Amino acid sequence: MLITVQNGTGLHAPTDLAVLVTCEESPLPTEVAELLEATDHRGRFKQTTLLYPRGTLAPRRLLLLGLGKLATVTPDGLRQVAALAVQQARELQVATCTLSLQAHLTLPPAVVGQALAEGLELGAYRYQRYKTGLSSEQTFTVEGVTLYTSADAAALHVGVTTGQTVARATCFARDLANGPPNSITPAALGQAAQELGQRTGLRVTVLEPPQLVEQGFGGILAVGQGSANPPRFIVLEYGQPAADQPTLCLVGKGVTFDTGGISIKSADKMDEMKMDMSGAAAVLGTMQAVAELGLPLHVVGLVCAAENMPSATAYRPGDIITTLSGKTVEVLNTDAEGRIVLADGLFYAQRYKPQAIIDLATLTGAIVVALGPHATGLMSTDQALADQLIRAGETTGERVWQMPLWNEYREAMESDIADLKNASGRYGGALTAAGFLAAFVGDYPWCHLDIAGTAWVERSLKPYQPWGATGVGVRLLVELLRSYGQ
Ligand code: BES
Ligand code: MN
Ligand code: ZN
């Protein structure tokens, strides 16, 4: 989508659709009030009123779109309103429209521009790859939006560019997680990473089973051994280690389909387990944005990709495996596979001596029970890093909620016959999972993000978030990385 920025109201520019963002304090600009009957429009948040000016104003259609009370406007409110605007334009089959925001907001113009661009791009997202025979009406796309502002247009445009970059990276992650598991295999994730490297200049290495065996990735190999789609370990590197460029490692769970393995899941909603690679998708999306934004950091993305299948070659409950770290794990439940693949990825991250390790994983059903779809679970060994993520969650609307990581949760994962076991009781399931992971990060500052509840939504919760994969983590991590250290 082409998004441009201009000063002015946009009411004098001929267009098929002018969207006028209104607020409760002044629901109708005098210019509009004098000409048109729209007395029911109150400027309430997400209220829409469509008017046909019939030549009294330059636009053919005028959509009044409420932002609510000016004093309480947040970036997320702007994002939602922008998404509604683009969805209305699509509904009306309008290829280019204007969006006019005249309200004097206290938010900086760059923040406003970023939120609007994110709302437009994310709100326009649809996953149609496997729909054949769609009509031109069904595939209709809004090609351009001109933003009219009374604020500093150049500053707003800087935000628009950032917002578009971040939103496109989010849509890239959504595409991967919405993709069916017969297409999005571990090899396909490796391929997507290679293509990402070619697009952006990221250095990408994809390790295949012979190399995984040689280097001792016992966790990833064990989880992947039951599948005809062999596992991969993917390394994406941006920037260089340097005194003024902190190193951060992002580790993603890339289970391309989670049947549960021999500890098989029930059939109900098993199809949704194609999204069990959402952590990997978030890492790939974030790496794309980091490269395109040219952030002054050294960022390493690590993806642990495997398919968890039951078969004659699958790993079993009772198996003891040796992970990359040398630590042994007694497998009590093959459905607790995420922590096993992450054990290798987290340990691998230590070789970069990073300032921070952050992993993203659709790790537990327990976090879904605890937080639902409204927040990502956060468990951490470093409060400063955790606080930065919490703050990034508030600015992006990708909220994170911290849960404890007391020693008791680590002790719960001690095995009688190996160093660790991969499952304990049901209670505190998200926390004992984190307790397991903690054994593989050494003393490095680490945050674990359990996105099982937020990576996939059964219904649209916000206009910029359609049903299905959310791409959660991309906007959160990019915000963290952009503000890192500040
Ligand atoms: N991928 C699942 C977790 C999950 C659940 C993700 C719901 C998205 C939505 C994970 O691999 C899993 O199966 N976890 C088990 C662990 C248990 C066996 C210790 C769980 O949470 O039930
Ligand atoms: Mn599982
Ligand atoms: Zn899983």
Side-chain angles (χ1 to χ4, degrees):
M1 189 186 306
L2 181 67
I3 307 177
T4 53
V5 185
Q6 300 221 342
N7 277 123
T9 65
L11 292 176
H12 306 286
T15 170
D16 285 331
L17 173 67
V19 180
L20 185 60
V21 178
T22 60
C23 58
E24 290 184 26
E25 287 86 346
S26 51
L28 291 179
T30 42
E31 214 170 349
V32 175
E34 279 166 13
L35 291 167
L36 299 167
E37 194 67 39
T39 43
D40 294 332
H41 191 80
R42 298 275 175 268
R44 280 195 312 272
F45 183 51
K46 299 199 281 190
Q47 185 184 9
T48 56
T49 308
L50 184 60
L51 302 168
Y52 289 81
R54 293 166 154 262
T56 55
L57 285 170
R60 201 156 89 75
R61 301 181 189 82
L62 182 65
L63 178 71
L64 305 178
L65 179 50
L67 190 54
K69 288 200 176 63
L70 264 197
T72 57
V73 170
T74 58
D76 205 64
L78 292 167
R79 225 174 269 124
Q80 294 190 47
V81 161
L84 286 175
V86 78
Q87 283 158 11
Q88 280 279 346
R90 184 162 71 200
E91 191 72 27
L92 297 164
Q93 310 268 299
V94 168
T96 60
C97 68
T98 66
L99 190 138
S100 175
L101 179 62
Q102 302 304 314
H104 289 281
L105 300 173
T106 48
L107 298 167
V111 170
V112 173
Q114 184 180 342
L116 291 175
E118 286 175 359
L120 291 171
E121 295 279 1
L122 296 174
Y125 178 85
R126 284 168 302 184
Y127 188 73
Q128 294 186 318
R129 188 156 304 175
Y130 292 91
K131 281 280 193 187
T132 68
L134 289 177
S135 67
S136 59
E137 200 168 310
Q138 287 167 309
T139 59
F140 185 87
T141 11
V142 178
E143 283 156 22
V145 177
T146 305
L147 300 177
Y148 281 94
T149 176
S150 51
D152 180 349
L156 201 93
H157 191 260
V158 170
V160 166
T161 307
T162 308
Q164 281 194 288
T165 303
V166 178
R168 284 178 189 152
T170 305
C171 292
F172 171 46
R174 284 180 181 177
D175 277 345
L176 288 171
N178 278 325
N182 57 340
S183 160
I184 309 294
T185 58
L189 283 182
Q191 184 64 34
Q194 301 279 22
E195 287 164 13
L196 175 59
Q198 276 149 22
R199 283 205 297 284
T200 59
L202 288 169
R203 306 189 289 289
V204 177
T205 312
V206 179
L207 303 187
E208 301 192 4
Q211 295 154 299
L212 297 177
V213 170
E214 192 182 276
Q215 296 184 38
F217 285 79
I220 294 176
L221 285 164
V223 172
Q225 77 186 39
S227 172
N229 297 309
R232 296 285 188 273
F233 184 69
I234 306 165
V235 184
L236 307 101
E237 193 168 358
Y238 166 82
Q240 308 285 343
D244 58 342
Q245 304 226 111
T247 298
L248 294 99
C249 290
L250 311 176
V251 187
K253 170 178 173 182
V255 173
T256 58
F257 193 65
D258 182 11
T259 63
I262 298 295
S263 315
I264 198 162
K265 291 179 181 293
S266 64
D268 187 46
K269 290 195 186 173
M270 196 200 270
D271 59 293
E272 285 184 9
M273 282 303 138
K274 68 177 183 178
M275 56 70 98
D276 213 17
M277 35 56 72
S278 294
V283 169
L284 293 174
T286 303
M287 294 307 291
Q288 172 174 312
V290 164
E292 290 180 359
L293 293 170
L295 298 185
L297 298 166
H298 176 222
V299 189
V300 183
L302 303 169
V303 169
C304 312
E307 186 179 42
N308 189 20
M309 296 291 268
S311 77
T313 62
Y315 79 140
R316 332 152 177 75
D319 281 4
I320 295 179
I321 59 184
T322 302
T323 60
L324 184 65
S325 64
K327 287 188 177 163
T328 54
V329 175
E330 180 190 11
V331 178
L332 292 182
N333 188 322
T334 62
D335 197 11
E337 84 297 340
R339 61 199 75 183
I340 297 179
V341 298
L342 285 172
D344 286 352
L346 290 169
F347 182 78
Y348 191 92
Q350 292 190 46
R351 72 169 58 191
Y352 297 96
K353 300 187 173 28
Q355 271 64 50
I357 302 174
I358 302 170
D359 77 77
L360 299 100
T362 46
L363 203 62
T364 66
I367 204 72
V368 192
V369 173
L371 299 173
H374 304 295
T376 290
L378 164 67
M379 286 129 270
S380 174
T381 57
D382 186 275
Q383 197 54 42
L385 183 62
D387 288 340
Q388 287 189 67
L389 271 170
I390 292 167
R391 225 175 304 132
E394 282 161 8
T395 22
T396 56
E398 291 194 342
R399 284 184 294 201
V400 300
W401 193 258
Q402 191 171 9
M403 314 267 262
L405 184 57
W406 295 313
N407 257 327
E408 285 82 349
Y409 300 118
R410 306 179 195 224
E411 287 160 6
M413 305 311 290
E414 286 168 11
S415 159
D416 293 333
I417 55 167
D419 298 332
L420 294 138
K421 57 185 179 188
N422 81 326
S424 63
R426 276 174 53 219
Y427 298 143
L431 317 176
T432 51
F436 178 95
L437 298 180
F440 299 92
V441 293
D443 292 326
Y444 292 95
W446 164 65
C447 280
H448 160 58
L449 295 167
D450 193 335
I451 57 172
T454 49
W456 182 269
V457 287
E458 290 174 3
R459 60 181 179 90
S460 170
L461 299 173
K462 287 177 176 175
Y464 62 81
Q465 173 53 68
W467 161 90
T470 62
V472 76
V474 176
R475 290 191 302 112
L476 177 75
L477 288 179
V478 173
E479 178 60 28
L480 173 90
L481 295 172
R482 290 210 315 140
S483 63
Y484 186 77
Q486 284 166 21

